[in-house]
Amino acid sequence: MKNRLNINLAGLELGNPTMLASGILGHSAETFETIVEGGAGAIVTKSIGVKPRKGYANPTVVQTNCGLINAMGLPNPGIAEFVKEIREAKAVLKVPLIVSVYGYSVEEYASVAERAVAVGADAVELNVSCPHVKETGSEIGQNPQVLAEVVRKVKSTVKKPVIVKLSPNVTSTADVAEATVKAGADALTAVNTVKAMAIDSETALPILTNKFGGLSGPAVKPIALRCIYDIYERVKVPIIGCGGITSWQDAAEFLLAGASAIQVGTAIATKGPSIFKNITRGLNAYLEKKGFESVNEIVGLSHRK
Ligand SMILES: Cc1cc2nc3c(=O)[nH]c(=O)nc-3n(C[C@H](O)[C@H](O)[C@H](O)COP(=O)(O)O)c2cc1C
C-alpha cells in the first residue's frame, strides 16, 4: 500500500502525522508503547522541569459538557529522575520521542533540554503556554522578549529540533509565532489549553483547588483552528495542530488550516489509544478519494484564493 502519510517534520521522520499531546497519560515507556501500538507517529512526554514538582491538590480536573478543565500544576519527577524514563523509552520506541520542557528561567529551559537530548530525546517541545502555574508556561509565552530569549538559548544549547508550544491566551498568536520563529524555533505546536474555570453552585466556590485551569477537548477546536490558520499566513516553519481533535475529520481540518501534523490529548480518555489508527485510516482514505499522493499536499489548502 502506498504510504501517503509519511512526513518529515523539521528533520523528524514520522510514519504518520499524529502525535500524543504532552501531559496526557503517564510518562513511562510502557504507556508510550501502548500509544504507539494505538498508531501514534510520535510521542510527546509530560512537561519536565529541573526539580520534581508535586502539582496541585485535588480536584485538579473538572469535566464540562464540552471538554475538560485541568489544573494539574505540572506534576513531574524532575529531569534527573526522568532521564531514566527517556533512556527506557528510547530503547523500545520505534517513533520519535519528543521531551516537553518547562522552566522558571532561560537557563532552566536550556538545562532540561540539554539533559533530555543527551540521553536520546529526538526533539524538545518548549512548554511556554501552561495557563495555571505562576512564573512559567504562559507567563513566558505571553512575553515575546522573554520567549525569544528562551528559544535562542535552547537553540544554541541543543542540536536537535526545538518545537515551541504556543498559548491561545494572547491577543495575537500569530505575532507570538513570528517572534518565536525569528528567535530560531524549528516548529510550533498550536495550541495549549485555554484559561478557564468552573464554579460549583452548591458550595458557591470555584471547583479547582487552583481556581483557574486550562480547557481542552472539543470546545477548543475552533479556537485552535483559527490560531493555526493565522500562524500559517505568517511563518514558514511546520505547525503541529493541537486542541479538541477527536476524529480524522478534525485532523483533516487542522491540516487544511496549515498544520503539518497533529496532536491528540483529551480524546484519548474517551476513545482510547486506537484513536490514532482511526485518524490515520480515515485520513488515508480521504487522501485517496480526493486523489492526493501525500498528506503534505493538503497542508494549508484552505488558504487558496
Ligand atoms: C490533564 C492534562 C494535562 C496536560 N499537561 C500538559 C503538560 O504537561 N504540558 C503541556 O505542554 N500541555 C499539557 N496539556 C495540554 C495538552 O497537551 C493539549 O495542548 C491540550 O489538552 C489541547 O489538546 P486536546 O484538546 O487534544 O487535549 C495537558 C492537558 C490535559 C488535559
Side-chain angles (χ1 to χ4, degrees):
M1 187 174 82
K2 189 186 306 183
N3 193 341
R4 298 177 174 80
L5 298 179
N6 282 333
I7 61 162
N8 179 310
L9 188 106
L12 298 174
E13 297 291 341
L14 272 66
N16 74 70
T18 68
M19 302 181 182
L20 170 68
S22 176
I24 317 293
L25 300 180
H27 29 67
S28 70
E30 218 172 289
T31 320
F32 295 153
E33 264 190 297
T34 309
I35 295 291
V36 174
E37 278 160 22
I43 294 289
V44 185
T45 71
K46 168 138 208 75
S47 296
I48 305 297
V50 169
K51 294 195 194 119
R53 220 186 113 87
K54 268 174 117 174
Y56 299 133
N58 282 328
T60 51
V61 181
V62 186
Q63 176 112 41
T64 72
N65 58 10
C66 51
L68 296 179
I69 309 176
N70 93 83
M72 306 294 292
L74 294 174
N76 79 97
I79 187 67
E81 186 63 29
F82 196 65
V83 291
K84 294 180 208 153
E85 300 287 352
I86 300 174
R87 283 205 188 94
E88 263 177 46
K90 278 302 295 175
V92 292
L93 291 184
K94 300 213 166 32
V95 305
L97 178 71
I98 300 165
V99 174
S100 172
V101 171
Y102 80 91
Y104 294 95
S105 66
V106 170
E107 289 71 28
E108 284 193 9
Y109 274 97
S111 162
V112 177
E114 188 174 28
R115 290 156 82 183
V117 166
V119 292
D122 296 296
V124 290
E125 182 181 83
L126 306 183
N127 178 357
V128 291
S129 44
C130 173
H132 52 73
V133 177
K134 282 201 181 315
E135 292 165 27
T136 183
S138 55
E139 290 195 18
I140 288 177
Q142 286 162 348
N143 182 331
Q145 280 85 27
V146 182
L147 173 54
E149 238 186 282
V150 168
V151 176
R152 272 196 296 270
K153 179 74 178 170
V154 176
K155 270 299 286 180
S156 68
T157 307
V158 299
K159 299 281 166 287
K160 294 284 180 179
V162 175
I163 303 165
V164 180
K165 184 167 180 183
L166 301 177
S167 171
N169 307 307
V170 292
T171 310
S172 166
T173 329
D175 284 353
V176 178
E178 206 167 25
T180 310
V181 171
K182 268 199 194 130
D186 298 297
L188 302 172
T189 300
V191 285
N192 210 315
T193 52
V194 178
K195 195 169 181 181
M197 78 181 300
I199 291 177
D200 183 337
S201 58
E202 280 308 315
T203 61
L205 285 169
I207 296 176
L208 294 168
T209 306
N210 187 56
K211 292 188 188 153
F212 305 111
L215 178 65
S216 62
V220 173
K221 186 188 127 187
I223 299 169
L225 267 182
R226 183 266 302 165
C227 290
I228 292 156
Y229 192 93
D230 275 353
I231 295 169
Y232 184 81
E233 302 229 316
R234 296 276 286 281
V235 304
K236 293 277 172 277
V237 302
I239 305 164
I240 305 163
C242 181
I245 295 173
T246 66
S247 65
W248 72 261
Q249 289 94 334
D250 290 341
E253 290 169 31
F254 275 68
L255 299 170
L256 294 166
S260 297
I262 57 106
Q263 294 180 356
V264 180
T266 303
I268 298 170
T270 46
K271 306 212 162 174
S274 63
I275 184 168
F276 292 100
K277 273 194 186 131
N278 291 338
I279 289 176
T280 49
R281 271 198 211 111
L283 270 182
N284 196 55
Y286 170 78
L287 294 171
E288 190 175 6
K289 187 177 113 199
K290 296 276 187 188
F292 294 110
E293 297 286 313
S294 157
V295 68
N296 295 315
E297 292 170 41
I298 69 165
V299 173
L301 202 60
S302 69
H303 292 255
R304 70 191 186 282
K305 303 281 185 295

